[in-house]
Amino acid sequence: MIGQVKKMIKQCFFSQNNIKYVDYKDLDLIKKFLNPHARIMSRKKTAVGARSQRQLAEAIKRARFMGLLPYLSR
Amino acid sequence: MEKVETLEKEGGVQVYELGYHIVSTVAEENLPKEVETLKAIVLKDGGSLISLGEPKLINLAYSMTKSVADIKKKFNTAYFGWLKFETKSELMPMIKKAVDANPLVLRYLLIKTVRENTLYTPKLNSVKVADKEAPKAKKSIKTDEKKATSLEDIDKSIDELVVSAE
């Protein structure tokens, strides 16, 4: 039984789709990584790579500054 | 440091992007004129335009204020557009000052970027659809061939039967 248990290995969304640059205007993409309170989701939940997470965080902060995304919601 | 080195070209030429909000009080007919003024600021002294996004009226996620001539105004909507251009890095302070001085620009963001299109478009879906369609077409061709051969066979067998009966 122990041998039959398989772990699902998550992979980084950005490396899977060959996204090398996260654009702050790409709201449909960015919104996938925000929780209902408009906070940035952790890498633990999304399995995004470290470099991509840094790029994503910067893109989200730029979008917030430009009023494309809220700083907080609900 | 590596990132900066890869982004910056020889002679201090660099790709930049100017994202801007034009105040919603501007009439839609006058928008192209405002975009042209921004373009002129950005392309001064030998800059070149790479791509642009036409300004569109959007609802802002939160209200923004802008004070023009000591009067504060609140805005909940604005025309959002962007310009991607290439220019010398020494000119950036001048460009910043010029955009700051424009009373119709509610807010702007000036960033370093790359020449390529950075907007993500889902390519996987289109590939999947094409893959799914292709085998179906093949199958239909095969079935047509089969039908044709079977009809010929039937005709032949009927002819043979008629001959044998005679």
Side-chain angles (χ1 to χ4, degrees):
Chain A
M1 280 298 285
I2 298 163
Q4 289 174 355
V5 177
K6 283 181 183 175
K7 274 189 179 179
M8 286 285 285
I9 301 163
K10 275 189 191 177
Q11 271 200 322
C12 172
F13 177 85
F14 296 95
S15 59
Q16 267 185 333
N17 293 301
N18 199 25
I19 300 168
K20 285 172 184 164
Y21 189 93
V22 187
D23 198 320
Y24 75 94
K25 303 185 297 294
D26 214 338
L27 298 181
D28 291 333
L29 175 70
I30 287 175
K31 277 179 184 171
K32 285 180 186 174
F33 301 94
L34 294 176
N35 74 3
H37 297 278
R39 296 179 70 184
I40 303 170
M41 283 163 79
S42 69
R43 282 180 62 205
K44 204 174 174 182
K45 270 192 177 177
T46 57
V48 171
R51 186 185 289 178
S52 301
Q53 181 75 5
R54 287 198 297 274
Q55 285 187 349
L56 178 70
E58 183 147 33
I60 290 169
K61 286 165 190 176
R62 281 171 175 169
R64 282 174 180 167
F65 171 74
M66 289 302 284
L68 306 176
L69 288 176
Y71 280 94
L72 43 99
S73 106
R74 285 195 195 176
Chain B
M1 283 299 286
E2 262 181 52
K3 204 178 179 184
V4 174
E5 278 168 15
T6 50
L7 283 172
E8 205 153 334
K9 280 184 174 182
E10 287 169 26
V13 176
Q14 163 77 47
V15 178
Y16 294 98
E17 188 180 304
L18 174 74
Y20 56 85
H21 283 302
I22 294 174
V23 291
S24 51
T25 49
V26 174
E28 256 187 74
E29 302 90 65
N30 300 332
L31 271 179
K33 198 179 154 191
E34 295 307 320
V35 176
E36 283 304 316
T37 56
L38 285 173
K39 262 193 213 174
I41 291 168
V42 155
L43 306 178
K44 214 162 60 178
D45 294 333
S48 60
L49 191 72
I50 295 167
S51 56
L52 82 160
E54 293 287 331
K56 267 185 188 176
L57 189 70
I58 60 158
N59 291 319
L60 298 170
Y62 53 91
S63 57
M64 291 181 190
T65 54
K66 176 150 176 102
S67 54
V68 180
D70 295 338
I71 300 163
K72 260 192 180 181
K73 272 190 176 179
K74 250 189 182 182
F75 295 96
N76 291 314
T77 55
Y79 292 99
F80 176 70
W82 54 271
L83 298 165
K84 197 182 261 191
F85 61 97
E86 195 177 41
T87 192
K88 289 173 192 167
S89 49
E90 302 97 68
L91 298 172
M92 292 321 284
M94 299 245 293
I95 292 170
K96 267 186 192 176
K97 267 188 188 175
V99 180
D100 265 328
N102 193 330
L104 296 176
V105 175
L106 177 63
R107 194 171 280 196
Y108 71 93
L109 183 70
L110 199 53
I111 54 165
K112 281 181 185 176
T113 186
V114 287
R115 184 179 284 273
E116 293 81 33
N117 180 27
T118 50
L119 289 167
Y120 168 69
T121 44
K123 294 168 194 168
L124 291 169
N125 290 346
S126 60
V127 173
K128 275 182 187 171
V129 170
D131 286 344
K132 278 179 187 173
E133 278 177 2
K136 271 185 185 175
K138 276 183 186 174
K139 273 185 186 175
S140 62
I141 291 162
K142 276 184 185 175
T143 48
D144 287 344
E145 280 174 5
K146 270 186 186 177
K147 273 181 191 174
T149 50
S150 60
L151 278 170
E152 280 173 16
D153 288 341
I154 291 163
D155 284 340
K156 273 184 187 177
S157 58
I158 289 166
D159 287 340
E160 278 171 12
L161 281 170
V162 170
V163 171
S164 62
E166 281 174 0

